[in-house]
Each structure stands twice: as C-alpha cells, then as structure tokens.
Amino acid sequence: MHIAEGFLPPLHAVAWGAASAPFVVHGVRALTREVKANPESTLLLGASGAFTFVLSALKIPSVTGSCSHPTGTGLGAILFRPPIMAVLGTITLLFQALLLAHGGLTTLGANVFSMAIAGPWAGYGVYLLLKRFDVPLMVTVFFGAFFADLVTYCVTSVQLALAFPDPGTGFAGALVKFGGIFAVTQIPLAVSEGLLTVLVMRLLMQSSRSDLVRLGVAKLTGRSGQEAAL
Amino acid sequence: MSMSRNTKINGLLLLLVAALAVLPIALGMGEGKEEPFAGADAQAETAITELKPDYEPWFSPLYEPPSGEVESALFALQAALGAGVLAYYFGVRKGRRQGAAAAEAAQAAAAADTAAAES
C-alpha cells in the first residue's frame, strides 16, 4: 500500500496531506492525554506501535503470485481507539519513507490516510459493531484486524485510481486494475493479520487483563477479577 | 491443564499463519510470472506507467538504500525493533505477575507463622 515517492501528482499529494493532517494532530492530542491520564498505558502503547512495526516489515507471499505486507494497525485501534493509531502508523510510515525509500514524503499524506486513518477506523467500526451483537471477543478482534488491513489496501487502490484513471474506462477501469494488484493480494494476508492479532490479544488476556479491562476491551469476571486487581 | 490448552491454540494460530505464507509458494502460484512474488507496491508503479506512460515521478527519496542487501537489512532492523519491544513488554508483564505471586506467597507464609506463634 506504499505509494512510492513522487508517484502521486502534486495536487493529489497535497490534498491527501491536508485530509490526513487533522487526524494526526487530533491523534497526538489523544496520545498525550492517554499517557498523562494513564502513565501505565505507555508500555502497552509501545507494544501496539511495535506490532505495527513488525507486521509492516514482513512481506509475505500471496495467492496472486506477488508479495505484500500486513499493517498491524487493528490491534492498537481496538485497544486505544483509532486516533492513537493515526500517530503510531505515521511514525512507522515515516521510518519507512526516510530509511527504506519505501513510500515517500510526498506520498506520506496518502499513505497515512490509508494505513493510519481509514484502516484503523474501519477495523474499529467492525469490532464495535460485532461487539454490540455479543460476538465473542476473539472473533471481533479477528474481523477488526482483518478489515483494518484490507480496507487500507482498498483505499490505496482508490487513491491511485483517482490519480491515474484509465484512458478508456476511466476511474472504474483503473480501480479494477489497482484493486487486482492490491486488494485481492491482500485477502490471505488480512486473514494472517487477523490470526496474529488474535494471538497477541490472547497473550494480553493472560498477561495484562487489568489493562484490557481498563481500556474496555475485556470484562471483569470471576477468577480473572482477582488478576485484574493486581 | 488450561495452560497447555492455551499454548496449543497459540501454536495452532502461528501454524496457520505460516501455512498461509508458504502455500502460495508451495503451490507454485508465482509460476508463469515475469517476476514471481514481486512486491505489490512495485507492480502498482508498473501499472501507473502503463496507464500514463508520460508520467514522471516529480520527487525522489532523500535517501535510498544503496543495494537490495542494505534494504533487506533495514527491513530486518525494523522487524527486530518491533519484536524486541513486544518481547520486552511481555517479559515485564510476566515478571510483575511472578513478583506479585511471590509476594503473596511470602505474606501468606508470614501470616501462618504469626498464627502458629500465637497459638
């Protein structure tokens, strides 16, 4: 989903930057507020950012015969809400743009919008919706992470189709082309990301249930209530 | 008992992820491609030049890894940094839980001692 440096026309680059900026600024505020109110969150915030770091570095083969990478943004969006991920995702994308020549500064706004804003919000929305219907926690986590991952790549396809419509078939034709490259490749990877996010959430349930209860992800129940008190 | 069931499920999750990554290669799904298992990002760049042959990227990266080796090293560094922080997090949490359990056990032992001395 990394649109390469210089590969969006200036007008598009500026527009996506303008669209992303308020989310990132709001996210920085939300992050400072969270750290001030709950200093013990810092460690888990670091772990959420670290998850995105690991997953977005892993390029994994897919059924389309090409490689792509997960995003790792669903976990943090579910734990800390999407505004925080706007910041953590931007940090990851900056690291890759500056050190790896992966993505870019002129395309940072567009890449932040897909990976750090649209993906996390979509995943969080799915998570909340399923939660409302009393779906088991790990199922909500799986689909939250799955959609955070997949929607990121769908948004990238839309961004590129808007910038480079097909001469004959226009926006729709280009969307099919970019969607074939990104979205289809991403489906098995989104499944992998869902499974890995469930794994980390299971480990968090064992090790940090009190944090999950405070963040409203897990409920305080019976035996685990004692753990939560620790 | 419940612990080992937990471990089994966690292992199964990892196994599934590994299978999803290996199967496309094992089933030869990259065969017949000009460049099997190329990055989707690079394919998108090719698609852009197909859709708009006269498009020239108007900005180039400030720094570019000088070779594929250096690039993969930096990607490995990124993954290692993330994995390190995650491992640190779970290590700290485990240490805290063990410390709390040890303190609780010591307290219970001390209370039992006092009770024994009083009787």
Side-chain angles (χ1 to χ4, degrees), chain B residues 56-80:
Chain B
E56 285 286 332
W58 54 282
F59 200 80
S60 34
L62 301 177
Y63 166 79
E64 222 165 332
S67 72
E69 279 71 17
V70 177
E71 190 189 352
S72 63
L74 286 168
F75 266 108
L77 178 72
Q78 186 193 327

Side-chain angles (χ1 to χ4, degrees), chain A residues 1-11 13 40 43-44 46-69 75 92 95-103 105-106 153 160 163-167 174 177-178 181-182 185 188 191-193 195-196 198-200 202-204 206-211 223 227 230, chain B residues 2-3 5-14 16-18 20-25 27-31 33 35-53 55-65 70-90 92-94 96-97 100-101 104:
Chain A
M1 45 67 53
H2 293 80
I3 302 177
E5 186 74 284
F7 267 85
L8 273 186
L11 192 65
E40 70 273 24
L43 211 53
L44 189 55
S48 306
F51 189 64
T52 293
F53 245 62
V54 180
L55 261 64
S56 66
L58 298 178
K59 294 185 186 170
I60 302 172
S62 178
V63 287
T64 46
S66 54
C67 278
S68 186
H69 61 84
L75 179 71
T92 310
F95 177 92
Q96 294 181 322
L98 292 175
L99 282 179
L100 302 165
H102 203 61
L105 295 178
T106 60
Y153 282 79
L160 286 174
F164 301 100
D166 189 279
K177 194 172 177 111
F178 289 115
I181 293 172
F182 282 123
T185 305
V191 172
S192 292
E193 168 149 9
L195 295 172
L196 284 172
V198 166
L199 173 65
V200 171
R202 288 172 54 81
L203 295 174
L204 287 175
Q206 289 160 29
S207 76
S208 340
R209 190 156 184 140
S210 58
D211 284 341
R223 188 175 60 86
E227 278 175 55
L230 285 177
Chain B
S2 79
M3 187 64 197
R5 186 170 161 266
N6 259 335
T7 317
K8 263 184 215 160
I9 294 177
N10 291 347
L12 186 71
L13 286 169
L14 280 176
L16 277 171
V17 172
L20 275 171
V22 172
L23 276 177
I25 300 179
L27 297 176
M29 300 185 110
E31 273 167 31
K33 295 226 165 202
E35 212 185 326
F37 296 110
D41 291 344
Q43 290 183 331
E45 284 175 41
T46 314
I48 289 172
T49 44
E50 278 167 20
L51 288 166
K52 207 171 180 191
Y55 186 79
E56 285 286 332
W58 54 282
F59 200 80
S60 34
L62 301 177
Y63 166 79
E64 222 165 332
V70 177
E71 190 189 352
S72 63
L74 286 168
F75 266 108
L77 178 72
Q78 186 193 327
L81 279 174
V85 171
L86 273 175
Y88 175 80
Y89 174 84
F90 284 110
V92 167
R93 297 307 307 208
K94 182 161 191 179
R96 263 189 216 164
R97 261 185 311 155
E104 213 172 286

